[in-house]
Amino acid sequence: MLGMLNIALIALLETEEGKPSLLAVNPGLIFWTVITFIILLIVLKKVAWKPILGVLEERETFIKDSLDKAEKARLEAEKLLAENREAMARTEEEAQKIIAQGREFAEKLKEQIISDSKLEAKKMLDDATAEIKRKNDEAFESLKDQVAMIAIQAAEKIMKENLDTEKQKHLVDRFIDDLPKN
Amino acid sequence: MDANTVKAVSDTLAQANNKSDSGWILHHILDSRYIDFEPFGRIPLPEIHLFGFDISITKHVVFMWLSLLILVLIFYAVSKSYKKSRIPRGFANVAELLVVFVRDDIAKPTIGKGFEKFLPYLLTVFFFILTANFLGLFPYSATVTSNISVTATLATISFIVIQAGGIRKNGLFGYFKGLIPHGVPVFLLPVMLVVEILGLFTRPFALAIRLFANMTAGHIVILALIGLIFILKTFFVAPVSIAFALFIYLLEILVALIQAYIFTMLSSLFIGMAVHQEH
């Protein structure tokens, strides 16, 4: 079968007198091929290749530009982010410092207030003690004076009445009644 | 044995030999003056004679024009769709894929600097061969690229483009001087010149034969496989024949693409060699 195919193929390629052959060159066809190809080249160059290649190039540059722009924007954003982060860190640090300062100040204030109030209290206590002592002394003094006065008055009265025990007793009782009740 | 019988047998044999079994295969592959629509009849094509030359419209001319029409219509639609928006839609995607393929994978790496000048030619030749190859796969159509006249003409155009590109870039004298490699001994110069100039012609010759043979072979094999059914006169061979024919047909689709690619690729390569001779 293969042999048959082989023979057939050879027969196909053989040029025979008056018979059409695969290798026969037809000048008319060459002429039309040239004409057709040149027309196709001119028409397609005008209709297709120029606009299509133009659009492709335009789009490629557009995409390239867009990518470049995006890249630039990304770098910009990254820079901004880093800056923001730094600023935030700085602010945080600042805030921490302020808080620490406030705490320290408050602590100091507390200490001072406490010591102040202790001092005040001590002073008030001292004052109060002194006052009490003074009042005490005053009262004692006045009591001493009064007792002396009373003794003197009683002596006076005794001197005046001077007689029987009955009367004396009565006198003393009256005197005691006369004493201020305190 | 009856003399009549002998005569009849010898007549039959002679006729069979004369007709040769391949006749009908050739009939399908060769050019003709009419378009066959078996069994519905045939459309005759006009005969034209100009200055003593026979430039009749033949079947292959008609199908060549059909590919021209298809290509122009498709690319007109594609370039029109680009006017509407920069984003390709539908068929424009396919066309763009192929255009970009020819530009970035064929022309740019082989020609290098200044490839834009040759791009319209390469694109046209690629799409023309591609369309003609695919058109030949349709029933009732003819494969234009399986005609040696057509492929030889295309190869000649390629040859002209290659030489023109080389001469334009390097100058007439510089181009032919550049053909001879550096460091060749003086006594070898005449030989080298002959060899190199012969080389210039063998390249397009190979282009023409390659395309022609590839596009013809597939069709012959398909027709021969189908023909087996009739030669062996049995239905049992039909499934095998058809299965193989189908396989070859699918292969043909691949070959149609590959041959268009190879023709363009080699043309581009030769242009690159002619333009940048130092390499």
Side-chain angles (χ1 to χ4, degrees), chain A residues 41-60:
Chain A
L41 185 61
I42 290 166
V43 171
L44 283 184
K45 193 175 174 182
K46 199 164 156 31
V47 168
W49 309 142
K50 256 190 193 151
I52 290 176
L53 291 172
V55 165
L56 284 179
E57 198 133 320
E58 191 183 306
R59 197 172 53 200
E60 269 156 25

Side-chain angles (χ1 to χ4, degrees), chain B residues 5-259:
Chain B
T5 326
V6 173
K7 194 175 178 295
V9 168
S10 66
D11 268 1
T12 323
L13 272 176
Q15 208 174 359
N17 277 341
N18 201 17
K19 252 177 91 181
S20 121
D21 281 330
S22 59
W24 64 277
I25 293 182
L26 266 186
H27 169 77
H28 279 281
I29 286 165
L30 287 177
D31 206 1
S32 57
R33 301 248 152 153
Y34 45 82
I35 301 175
D36 248 328
F37 284 108
E38 274 179 281
F40 309 110
R42 47 174 63 163
I43 303 170
L45 295 166
E47 264 185 51
I48 304 171
H49 291 274
L50 193 73
F51 307 124
F53 285 110
D54 177 18
I55 52 164
S56 309
I57 311 295
T58 60
K59 189 166 73 173
H60 283 168
V61 175
V62 171
F63 280 98
M64 206 147 63
W65 288 348
L66 198 59
S67 3
L68 180 137
L69 198 70
I70 291 168
L71 273 178
V72 170
L73 285 179
I74 283 176
F75 280 103
Y76 179 67
V78 167
S79 75
K80 220 172 113 186
S81 84
Y82 275 120
K83 280 191 187 119
K84 274 188 234 148
S85 83
R86 238 197 307 232
I87 301 147
R89 245 171 244 280
F91 195 80
N93 276 312
V94 184
E96 189 186 306
L97 177 85
L98 291 171
V99 170
V100 171
F101 172 69
V102 172
R103 191 190 62 175
D104 290 350
D105 292 330
I106 295 179
K108 214 184 257 177
T110 51
I111 300 177
K113 216 170 115 244
F115 73 94
E116 293 92 347
K117 245 188 304 180
F118 300 98
L119 211 47
Y121 165 72
L122 291 172
L123 283 166
T124 310
V125 98
F126 177 78
F127 280 103
F128 179 62
I129 294 175
L130 190 71
T131 318
N133 288 354
F134 274 127
L135 205 60
L137 292 175
F138 288 97
Y140 289 126
S141 72
T143 318
V144 179
T145 40
S146 70
N147 190 314
I148 189 84
S149 303
V150 175
T151 61
T153 311
L154 288 176
T156 309
I157 294 170
S158 242
F159 176 76
I160 292 166
V161 171
I162 292 164
Q163 307 313 320
I167 289 167
R168 207 167 156 190
K169 177 80 198 301
N170 304 303
L172 191 61
F173 182 70
Y175 176 63
F176 283 105
K177 213 182 104 194
L179 284 178
I180 300 155
H182 290 293
V184 172
V186 182
F187 65 88
L188 269 179
L189 277 182
V191 183
M192 284 309 290
L193 195 66
V194 170
V195 168
E196 289 294 335
I197 286 175
L198 215 63
L200 291 184
F201 288 96
T202 50
R203 285 168 192 166
F205 180 75
L207 277 182
I209 296 295
R210 183 180 299 112
L211 183 58
F212 155 73
N214 272 288
M215 295 323 293
T216 310
H219 286 70
I220 289 178
V221 172
I222 289 177
L223 290 167
L225 283 167
I226 300 292
L228 278 181
I229 304 168
F230 303 99
I231 290 168
L232 300 177
K233 290 192 173 65
T234 163
F235 286 120
F236 296 113
V237 80
V240 182
S241 274
I242 287 169
F244 273 96
L246 195 63
F247 169 70
I248 299 290
Y249 189 89
L250 293 175
L251 203 67
E252 279 279 273
I253 295 173
L254 197 67
V255 169
L257 249 168
I258 289 172
Q259 288 310 313

Side-chain angles (χ1 to χ4, degrees), chain A residues 55-115:
Chain A
V55 165
L56 284 179
E57 198 133 320
E58 191 183 306
R59 197 172 53 200
E60 269 156 25
T61 50
F62 174 75
I63 290 170
K64 206 166 155 274
D65 283 357
S66 301
L67 284 177
D68 283 354
K69 255 185 231 159
E71 180 65 21
K72 223 180 266 171
R74 197 180 64 83
L75 286 178
E76 193 86 2
E78 245 165 39
K79 217 174 82 191
L80 272 176
L81 193 69
E83 264 170 28
N84 268 359
R85 252 189 213 137
E86 205 183 317
M88 252 165 79
R90 250 200 335 256
T91 315
E92 181 86 359
E93 207 180 310
E94 198 96 349
Q96 285 298 340
K97 220 161 77 189
I98 286 167
I99 289 169
Q101 262 174 4
R103 198 169 280 152
E104 201 184 329
F105 182 71
E107 201 73 24
K108 231 187 252 169
L109 203 64
K110 194 178 97 186
E111 294 284 321
Q112 205 187 341
I113 286 167
I114 288 171
S115 71

Side-chain angles (χ1 to χ4, degrees), chain A residues 72-175:
Chain A
K72 223 180 266 171
R74 197 180 64 83
L75 286 178
E76 193 86 2
E78 245 165 39
K79 217 174 82 191
L80 272 176
L81 193 69
E83 264 170 28
N84 268 359
R85 252 189 213 137
E86 205 183 317
M88 252 165 79
R90 250 200 335 256
T91 315
E92 181 86 359
E93 207 180 310
E94 198 96 349
Q96 285 298 340
K97 220 161 77 189
I98 286 167
I99 289 169
Q101 262 174 4
R103 198 169 280 152
E104 201 184 329
F105 182 71
E107 201 73 24
K108 231 187 252 169
L109 203 64
K110 194 178 97 186
E111 294 284 321
Q112 205 187 341
I113 286 167
I114 288 171
S115 71
D116 277 7
S117 51
K118 262 184 190 161
L119 226 67
E120 190 87 0
K122 198 170 177 290
K123 203 179 140 213
M124 272 164 81
L125 201 68
D126 286 357
D127 280 2
T129 318
E131 181 77 16
I132 289 165
K133 196 169 174 269
R134 196 176 58 81
K135 284 257 159 104
N136 230 8
D137 286 356
E138 217 169 81
F140 190 69
E141 213 53 49
S142 92
L143 191 66
K144 225 166 59 180
D145 281 358
Q146 270 181 356
V147 168
M149 282 290 275
I150 291 161
I152 292 165
Q153 280 171 356
E156 246 174 48
K157 273 192 183 148
I158 291 167
M159 297 281 249
K160 271 179 198 167
E161 303 278 325
N162 172 19
L163 289 160
D164 55 281
T165 48
E166 186 77 26
K167 226 179 179 175
Q168 262 182 24
K169 197 177 181 296
H170 180 71
L171 192 71
V172 171
D173 282 347
R174 219 177 54 197
F175 179 72

